[in-house]
Amino acid sequence: MEQKLQHAEKELKLFRTLLKASKALYDNAAKDITSHGLTIENFIVLELLYNKGPHYIQDISETLMIPSGSITYVVNKLEKKELAKREINEENKRYCKVLLTKKGEDLFNEIFPKHVEMIVQNLAVLDDSQKEQLTALLKTVGLAAEELS
């Protein structure tokens, strides 16, 4: 029984450490994103559209794992800022694609390199080998956790 508790202590310490590190990284990313007048949700939708091109709202919802009602709200906000627009499917008006506007693309071209640099700075404490190792370990843990749920 005592051996199980010692094992659990290591697991709990690892879990707390992972949460604290994740929170610190997330907080730094959120600070960077909000400094450009965007919410996290605005940013991740813009990033998806920027890197992968136009998407149907339902696909955005599924890809980013955000409820469709929330995605609709985010797209509405992006349209108000003229950063994205909807394109209605003429064959089926219930479907519409969301795409970046020129203003959205210009903004993302301006802020994305700064955002990448912030991420690079946050992870600069690790060398390339450590980054690869940590990536592999986190992937292993993530996949195992998904199987449990």
Side-chain angles (χ1 to χ4, degrees):
M1 178 72 167
E2 190 172 314
Q3 189 178 19
K4 284 185 180 181
L5 288 176
Q6 286 176 344
H7 181 69
E9 298 254 345
K10 289 178 184 176
E11 304 295 331
L12 291 170
K13 181 179 180 182
L14 173 59
F15 188 74
R16 284 190 302 268
T17 303
L18 180 59
L19 286 179
K20 286 180 181 179
S22 295
K23 183 180 181 330
L25 291 169
Y26 179 86
D27 289 349
N28 288 346
K31 182 179 176 184
D32 177 63
I33 290 165
T34 58
S35 75
H36 299 291
L38 297 172
T39 66
I40 300 292
E41 293 80 10
N42 290 159
F43 184 85
I44 62 175
V45 170
L46 288 175
E47 183 180 25
L48 176 70
L49 298 175
Y50 183 84
N51 288 313
K52 303 291 184 181
H55 275 66
Y56 290 105
I57 287 183
Q58 185 63 32
D59 294 339
I60 295 171
S61 175
E62 291 170 8
T63 300
L64 300 178
M65 296 179 289
I66 298 174
S68 61
S70 297
I71 287 297
T72 300
Y73 176 80
V74 171
V75 170
N76 288 345
K77 293 294 184 185
L78 291 173
E79 280 189 310
K80 279 186 180 177
K81 293 181 178 204
E82 300 176 349
L83 300 175
K85 66 180 179 179
R86 287 179 172 91
E87 188 175 84
I88 304 296
N89 182 326
E90 291 301 320
E91 294 174 17
N92 188 340
K93 303 227 186 260
R94 291 182 302 164
Y95 293 104
C96 68
K97 279 189 175 177
V98 181
L99 52 136
L100 280 181
T101 61
K102 174 78 167 110
K103 183 177 176 180
E105 188 175 338
D106 289 346
L107 174 69
F108 216 76
N109 280 329
E110 177 188 333
I111 67 174
F112 193 64
K114 296 173 188 174
H115 183 71
V116 170
E117 182 56 33
M118 180 277 311
I119 292 170
V120 168
Q121 288 175 359
N122 274 263
L123 299 174
V125 68
L126 301 174
D127 65 32
D128 287 346
S129 174
Q130 290 170 317
K131 289 173 190 172
E132 289 173 12
Q133 186 178 20
L134 183 57
T135 299
L137 290 170
L138 290 173
K139 185 175 181 179
T140 299
V141 170
L143 291 172
E146 284 178 1
E147 286 183 20
L148 291 174
S149 55

